Amino acid sequence: MFRKEELVILAEHDGMRLDKVLAVVLPDSGLRLRRRLCDEGRVLVNGRVRKSGYKVSSGQGLELIQKEVPVTHEDLGLRVVERTDRFVAVYKPGGVHSAAIAGKDSPSAEAMLPDLLPDASPILLNRLDFLTSGLLLVALEPGAAREYQAMEEAGKIRKFYLARVRGRLDGVVTAKQRLDVDDRKKTRVLDEADDDARRWTGVEALAHDRERDTTLVRCLIMKGARHQIRAHLAALDHPIVGDPLYGDSQEGEALLLRHYRVEFPEFSAEMDADF
């Protein structure tokens, strides 16, 4: 990846050597480095590559193209949780994109998979919201990806999440409302039930924190829709702590939602559930 810096030659630099002017852009650089940048063709004046001894003129445009240090999977906090010969479960922290977003150059877990799994041809199988932490499923070859999709259609994939929600929630409840996810930033929960049980969200209360008036819950989904758990819990009047879209998150508050376990025939993975 490259980063471009642009500036206009000032009158005070008129007639100076290019390698001297570069000291303005790179104040901590040595003369040898500045000359090497010119030799590598990464310094342009008015759109043309110039050598270090070129005399600049006031008003000319200077462009400096610098190599950026590549992002690695360690930088994003990605790590392998479970691996077999066909599938891998990878941990993704909150604040990291699962997949690349069109028109944006933000790093993503999907883009880092070849770095994390250099001995395979990894295929991302599921996504988590940007703010959600937890397990991403990866197929190590196309046949495994097709098998996963078939199992998902058959309702054989079970995905477990932990969430801390506002208020006291007791017992077990199933959110069955159909979700409208078409072309909206926010998923809309409809009044009617969804006929497809794979789209339901099972919610089990685990523990209530009286001091903070929050409840730790475990959620089960089989074939999730965008923001499914977040929208269903908010519709139950128990939005997730730290949810800026469906709740009332405070500044600096993390979304307390984690995909901590997944299971399907011949594969399971589970990670630390501590937020």
Side-chain angles (χ1 to χ4, degrees):
M1 296 177 65
F2 293 88
R3 174 169 52 88
K4 181 187 290 186
E5 294 187 28
E6 302 179 10
L7 56 84
V8 175
I9 302 298
L10 302 177
E12 62 192 85
H13 299 135
D14 186 73
M16 288 180 60
R17 285 174 55 100
L18 180 57
D19 53 11
K20 299 293 185 181
V21 176
L22 283 176
V24 177
V25 185
L26 304 169
D28 298 323
S29 65
L31 181 59
R32 181 177 295 180
L33 170 61
R34 299 196 296 271
R35 288 179 175 175
R36 187 172 76 245
L37 292 174
C38 294
D39 292 341
E40 292 177 354
R42 291 198 272 138
V43 182
L44 292 78
V45 179
N46 282 356
R48 295 182 61 184
V49 174
R50 297 293 187 179
K51 294 300 182 180
S52 58
Y54 175 80
K55 301 292 183 65
V56 303
S57 299
S58 175
Q60 287 181 317
L62 173 65
E63 296 179 29
L64 172 62
I65 303 173
Q66 294 195 73
K67 291 182 179 179
E68 292 187 340
V69 177
V71 177
T72 68
H73 68 271
E74 289 98 340
D75 296 328
L76 298 188
L78 304 175
R79 59 180 172 85
V80 171
V81 175
E82 186 68 44
R83 177 170 180 166
T84 65
D85 58 346
R86 307 191 72 209
F87 297 100
V88 178
V90 174
Y91 169 68
K92 178 195 84 72
V96 174
H97 292 292
S98 295
I101 299 178
K104 295 186 178 181
D105 58 0
S106 302
S108 67
E110 184 175 29
M112 293 297 105
L113 290 179
D115 177 50
L116 181 64
L117 303 165
D119 59 338
S121 300
I123 302 168
L124 184 66
L125 298 174
N126 71 312
R127 299 186 183 191
L128 300 177
D129 296 339
F130 176 71
L131 297 177
T132 302
S133 65
L135 299 175
L136 291 173
L137 273 296
V138 179
L140 294 178
E141 45 89 15
R146 291 191 294 270
E147 182 181 349
Y148 178 90
Q149 292 164 359
M151 287 188 290
E152 188 174 53
E153 288 300 314
K156 295 180 179 180
I157 310 293
R158 290 164 59 87
K159 305 172 186 177
F160 296 88
Y161 289 70
L162 288 177
R164 185 163 289 280
V165 301
R166 304 287 186 191
R168 183 184 184 102
L169 191 153
D170 294 307
V172 178
V173 62
T174 301
K176 301 180 180 181
Q177 301 100 313
R178 192 162 63 85
L179 300 175
D180 181 0
V181 300
D182 292 339
D183 300 322
R184 290 184 177 88
K185 178 180 179 181
K186 188 174 182 178
T187 293
R188 189 159 62 100
V189 180
L190 305 179
D191 292 333
E192 66 267 23
D194 197 318
D195 293 333
D196 186 353
R198 296 172 304 172
R199 301 292 190 182
W200 298 351
T201 301
V203 184
E204 178 187 2
L206 299 179
H208 177 244
D209 185 328
R210 294 182 59 185
E211 182 178 348
R212 300 179 182 179
D213 192 25
T214 62
T215 304
L216 181 66
V217 301
R218 178 166 51 213
C219 301
L220 167 63
I221 61 175
M222 289 181 283
K223 187 180 181 182
R226 184 169 61 88
H227 297 177
Q228 176 175 328
I229 294 175
R230 295 167 64 184
H232 271 158
L233 287 172
L236 292 173
D237 294 324
H238 293 285
I240 299 173
V241 173
D243 195 330
L245 193 58
Y246 299 91
D248 56 352
S249 66
Q250 307 300 313
E251 184 176 353
E253 196 172 44
L255 178 71
L256 298 188
L257 176 64
R258 170 167 291 181
H259 181 209
Y260 82 102
R261 179 174 173 81
V262 61
E263 57 186 45
F264 52 87
E266 299 185 10
F267 186 88
S268 66
E270 184 170 335
M271 62 171 301
D272 184 0
D274 185 7
F275 289 111

